[in-house]
Amino acid sequence: MRIGLLTGSVALCVSLCAATIASAQSLVEIDREVFVERSQQQGGRTQRILAPADTLERGDTVVLMLAWSTPHDRPFTISSRVPRTLAFRASGGDAPQVSVDGGRTWGTLEALRIEGRKATSADVTHVRWDVANPRAARGRGVFTYSAVVR
């Protein structure tokens, strides 16, 4: 699928933020949002702003946000597929595990290889975060990652 221009932030969010939960009992809710990063001049300085992703074009930087909540304090894992139309850049403040083979193997990007070469961020197919206690006990949190539209 080639992205020239996408419209409809609801459809965009559903297609770009497919996330799954792995836990003993899946009582975790995830709200997904997609934002596009824009630059604007204000007071003689360039500021980075995030706006709802109503339209996307090749080269746009997007921020995908997964807000989770759960009534239980059990550890769980959230994973998200990175669509082929996006090239993973980085995760927010949390260090996730990534996969470059469709979710079959996981690790840090620096440790993964593809056909003998070191994997790059553009090779990432999935990203996941482990939520352990005491974070799980807080009952809510947010994970983010950024990507570039191919």
Side-chain angles (χ1 to χ4, degrees), residues 52-136:
D54 294 326
T55 61
L56 291 178
E57 296 181 23
R58 175 175 278 174
D60 281 347
T61 297
V62 294
V63 175
L64 299 98
M65 184 173 76
L66 298 103
W68 59 268
S69 63
T70 181
H72 298 288
D73 63 355
R74 296 183 194 113
F76 59 93
T77 299
I78 294 176
S79 66
S80 180
R81 180 181 60 84
V82 178
R84 290 183 198 175
T85 53
L86 296 179
F88 177 84
R89 282 187 46 195
S91 178
D94 298 283
Q97 292 184 329
V98 296
S99 175
V100 295
D101 61 6
R104 288 184 296 280
T105 58
W106 296 88
T108 63
L109 185 58
E110 298 77 28
L112 297 176
R113 301 188 73 72
I114 296 177
E115 299 175 3
R117 69 169 172 85
K118 187 176 175 180
T120 68
S121 60
D123 297 318
V124 173
T125 61
H126 292 75
V127 60
R128 77 177 180 189
W129 300 266
D130 291 324
V131 182
N133 282 326
R135 191 174 200 176

